[in-house]
């Protein structure tokens, strides 16, 4: 049985999140939501309005021990988190393949590149090479500002960092190369508006 | 550190599979591999040859209890399998969004529709509506025959089954409406050859 909010978004009970309960510092963002919540909300809006089908991938888990009790659900009794080999979000919009990651930083003047792993960058390069639309959504939590940065721009900084380049991307550069996304009521983060802009500039991406 | 097989495929140690170890009946297929193994192998081939980026999604898990021991990895001590709300595979090929599920049957004359869940069909309808390329790969294990069936053809049978229609798709109909995929050495199941055919017939899908 599925329930929907009046705005058409799907009701998802908190308990079925795949995130473990961890203590986290209080967020002073506009709605007290994490970037992940905001993206998930936006994706739910896009889905329920037949605009795009974009989901967060489940966290990959290595299962070691499972118990199969009679007359009840299989219980995983020992498992470990695995490092994801891809980005967190992918899906389809106007027939195009969309692939991105969402990252928060508490920094105020630059985005530290250590937020990315080598395999995520490799995955984005592979997707871009196969004709996908790849980017990262970056939130400066303390500034309450959200940007979309094209993967190709991210690679520029990533590839330079091991050649004595900066270990972070200055905010001023993100302001120049990226696209600021202004919060809306629905969808919370209208990132597909930027994707439309990218598609208009180059209909072949 | 990553290792590759001589054919360029990535070496993935068995232990990091997200599937629990379960007893399964012996497979008498060509290579003793499950359809999932064959698809994963094929995807690895497509990835390592810069042809397409298509991954199996991790199994969704609901985590209840996690222990954080000092100086070692977080251990999940209680978790349950959740029903996936999407199909198993998605990715990008020639810029197009690809989405599919892979199903085995031991039947010899028809494919039972109970192999699908309502939410998987719903997801495929949403993807198709957003311009994605959606299909299912069906393996008749005892016949060692593999078919690609377009999602739109699957919907036809699915939507009819509740109106007094058949609960399965006869093999003869799959032979007519679907595309048989012949095993190759590499990739094991060259399903993107069929996708090429679909794209040639209708470059706008």
């Amino acid at each position: 049985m599925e329930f929907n909010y009046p705005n058409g978004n799907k009701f998802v009970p908190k308990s079925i999140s795949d995130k473990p309960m961890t203590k986290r510092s209080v967020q002073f963002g506009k709605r007290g939501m994490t970037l992940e919540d905001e993206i998930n909300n936006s994706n739910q809006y896009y889905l329920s309005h037949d605009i795009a089908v974009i989901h967060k991938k489940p966290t990959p888990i290595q299962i070691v021990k499972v118990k199969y009790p009679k007359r009840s659900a299989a219980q995983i009794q020992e498992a470990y988190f695995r490092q994801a080999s891809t980005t967190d979000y992918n899906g389809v919009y106007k027939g195009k393949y969309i692939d991105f990651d969402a990252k928060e930083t508490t920094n105020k003047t630059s985005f530290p590149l250590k937020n990315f792993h080598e395999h995520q960058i490799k995955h984005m390069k592979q997707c871009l090479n196969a004709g996908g639309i790849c980017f990262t959504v970056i939130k400066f939590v303390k500034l309450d500002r959200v940007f979309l940065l094209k993967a190709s721009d991210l690679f520029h900084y990533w590839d330079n960092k091991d050649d004595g380049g900066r270990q972070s991307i200055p905010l001023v550069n993100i302001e120049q190369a990226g696209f600021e996304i202004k919060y809306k009521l629905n969808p919370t983060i209208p990132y597909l508006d930027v994707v439309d802009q990218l598609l208009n500039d180059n209909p072949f991406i």
Side-chain angles (χ1 to χ4, degrees), chain A:
Chain A
M1 180 77 195
E2 284 184 2
F3 299 93
N4 290 327
Y5 286 108
N7 67 0
N9 286 353
K10 201 170 135 196
F11 170 72
V12 181
K14 282 284 180 196
S15 63
I16 67 165
S17 165
D18 63 0
K19 287 183 298 178
M21 294 289 285
T22 51
K23 278 189 206 167
R24 50 179 305 139
S25 54
V26 180
Q27 298 286 325
F28 293 100
K30 205 169 266 175
R31 291 165 187 77
M33 282 201 278
T34 63
L35 178 60
E36 184 182 319
D37 292 336
E38 292 167 342
I39 298 275
N40 289 346
N41 277 1
S42 306
N43 287 343
Q44 193 53 52
Y45 175 89
Y46 287 135
L47 182 66
S48 61
H49 288 74
D50 289 332
I51 296 167
V53 184
I54 296 166
H55 289 283
K56 183 173 188 293
K57 292 188 189 172
T59 307
I61 303 283
Q62 180 186 347
I63 296 167
V64 176
K65 191 175 157 195
V66 185
K67 193 179 164 188
Y68 297 92
K70 278 182 190 164
R71 279 183 287 278
S72 61
Q75 190 187 61
I76 299 162
Q77 297 190 323
E78 187 184 350
Y80 299 92
F81 295 102
R82 283 166 51 195
Q83 204 171 51
S85 57
T86 64
T87 46
D88 274 353
Y89 297 90
N90 75 356
V92 56
Y93 174 55
K94 294 182 177 172
K96 305 282 184 185
Y97 176 77
I98 307 286
D99 194 294
F100 67 98
D101 232 330
K103 304 282 189 188
E104 288 183 340
T105 181
T106 52
N107 274 29
K108 289 179 182 173
T109 55
S110 69
F111 177 77
L113 288 163
K114 67 171 193 284
N115 280 288
F116 284 97
H117 300 288
E118 185 68 47
H119 56 265
Q120 291 179 314
I121 302 287
K122 189 180 167 192
H123 171 74
M124 282 195 266
K125 286 182 177 176
Q126 289 167 334
C127 289
L128 203 65
N129 188 43
I133 297 172
C134 304
F135 53 86
T136 178
V137 175
I138 293 173
K139 180 176 181 178
F140 287 87
V141 176
K142 292 190 175 163
L143 308 177
D144 218 15
R145 294 179 71 185
V146 177
F147 295 89
L148 184 151
L149 187 68
K150 284 195 289 180
S152 51
D153 290 320
L154 173 64
F155 301 157
H156 168 73
Y157 288 94
W158 181 267
D159 294 337
N160 276 340
K161 91 179 157 45
D162 296 328
D163 300 333
R166 290 187 56 110
Q167 301 301 305
S168 63
I169 314 177
L171 173 59
V172 287
N173 296 37
I174 294 175
E175 286 174 330
Q176 280 163 15
F179 300 80
E180 185 156 7
I181 309 172
K182 295 291 185 186
Y183 280 104
K184 282 206 316 192
L185 192 61
N186 244 330
T188 317
I189 297 184
Y191 65 91
L192 289 181
D193 292 355
V194 180
V195 172
D196 276 330
Q197 220 172 311
L198 299 177
L199 287 170
N200 278 337
D201 291 350
N202 179 4
F204 301 106
I205 61 167

